[in-house]
Amino acid sequence: MTESLAAALQRLHGAGGKAFVPYATAGLDGVDAALLVGYESAGAHAVEVGIPFSDPVMDGPVIQEASGRALESGTTPADAFALVQAAREAGLSVPVAFMTYLNPVLAEGVEAFLDATTGCGASGVIVPDLPVDEAGAWLAACRARDVAPVLLAAPNSTPERLAAIAGSAAGFVYCVSTFGVTGARHELSTSAEAVVGALRPITETPLLVGVGISTPEQAARACGFADGVVVGSALVEAMLAGDREETLSRARAFGAAVDGASGQE
């Protein structure tokens, strides 16, 4: 049986390792079971699969474009669940977390969505437009099904909000590295380290940095203070160009950088 997101990342964290979590948009041309398995071969410790939504408020131009193309081709949450199921059948053994928005979850029905999540072999969900203070019913439903509710912590989160996030998140806390939407950045924001530093004393949940991790060098620097990174736009950009080999080449470079940073904190 595949190890859950929470168990796998906690085990890695306890061993001093750093996590590399690459992202792919379900329904984008070329995103298939083989790509997800390829991510694992590239060094991924978990995979994040995006369920496209028409108003992806957290996402920048690259992932917005990917979501738009996926929706134009008729992609539904059922297709995302089928993608993960197919990847499991193809040999994917690392945990999977879905990333989507509240509207698709409610359209499916919370319980039905979570049942489909576990049924296809995923064990985490990220819902960036659901704030922690409105997430009580969602958190309870996730706990009842052993699904890790990954929560976001932003640079402007108050100490009180950070405490609530620390007490409620599972799998990992998604530490947003900068203000704004997802996408490439020339430099790693210093605010990322501040978010991780504020959370470190109050939670044992792994702290991963995402949004703006654009190069392997930035990933390695982030792993100097965080427990790993989530990489999205830098990989999706190559998929938008129809270049699977470039996508996997970039994933391997990120994986090697994160692996090299393990034990260096």
Side-chain angles (χ1 to χ4, degrees):
M1 182 177 179
T2 303
E3 198 172 16
S4 72
L5 180 71
L9 294 189
Q10 196 63 56
R11 176 179 52 77
L12 180 68
H13 176 53
K18 305 295 183 176
F20 167 45
V21 182
Y23 168 93
T25 301
L28 178 64
D29 189 41
V31 174
D32 55 16
L35 180 73
L36 302 192
V37 173
Y39 276 170
E40 179 174 357
S41 298
H45 300 95
V47 174
E48 181 182 340
V49 173
I51 299 176
F53 177 53
S54 58
D55 189 20
V57 294
M58 180 182 170
D59 295 311
V62 170
I63 296 180
Q64 282 190 25
E65 173 68 18
S67 294
R69 290 191 194 178
L71 290 171
E72 286 172 7
S73 70
T75 302
T76 68
D79 296 312
F81 301 139
L83 168 65
V84 175
Q85 179 68 49
R88 289 284 180 233
E89 293 170 356
L92 183 71
S93 64
V94 296
V96 173
F98 287 117
M99 189 280 197
T100 190
Y101 291 86
L102 186 58
N103 186 285
V105 173
L106 296 180
E108 292 287 311
V110 169
E111 294 184 357
F113 183 94
L114 291 173
D115 287 344
T117 294
T118 58
C120 73
S123 56
V125 182
I126 308 162
V127 186
D129 58 343
L130 178 61
V132 64
D133 47 320
E134 298 177 13
W138 168 251
L139 295 170
C142 286
R143 283 193 294 268
R145 288 163 177 78
D146 198 26
V147 172
V150 176
L151 299 179
L152 280 74
N156 61 341
S157 296
T158 64
E160 294 77 17
R161 181 172 289 270
L162 288 176
I165 292 167
S168 301
F172 65 93
V173 179
Y174 195 128
C175 300
V176 179
S177 69
T178 186
F179 294 105
V181 295
T182 61
R185 304 289 196 279
H186 293 297
E187 299 292 338
L188 179 65
S189 172
T190 56
S191 61
E193 189 167 1
V195 174
V196 172
L199 284 164
R200 182 71 72 194
I202 59 174
T203 184
E204 295 295 319
T205 303
L207 306 172
L208 274 58
V209 172
V211 181
I213 302 295
S214 307
T215 66
E217 293 75 20
Q218 290 176 1
R221 286 200 295 275
C223 287
F225 57 83
D227 302 318
V229 293
V230 179
V231 180
S233 295
L235 301 174
V236 175
E237 180 182 52
M239 286 304 298
L240 286 173
D243 197 337
R244 175 197 292 268
E245 287 310 311
E246 174 63 16
T247 303
L248 291 174
S249 176
R250 292 184 186 188
R252 286 190 291 271
F254 278 106
V258 171
D259 184 59
S262 295
Q264 300 299 310
E265 188 171 6

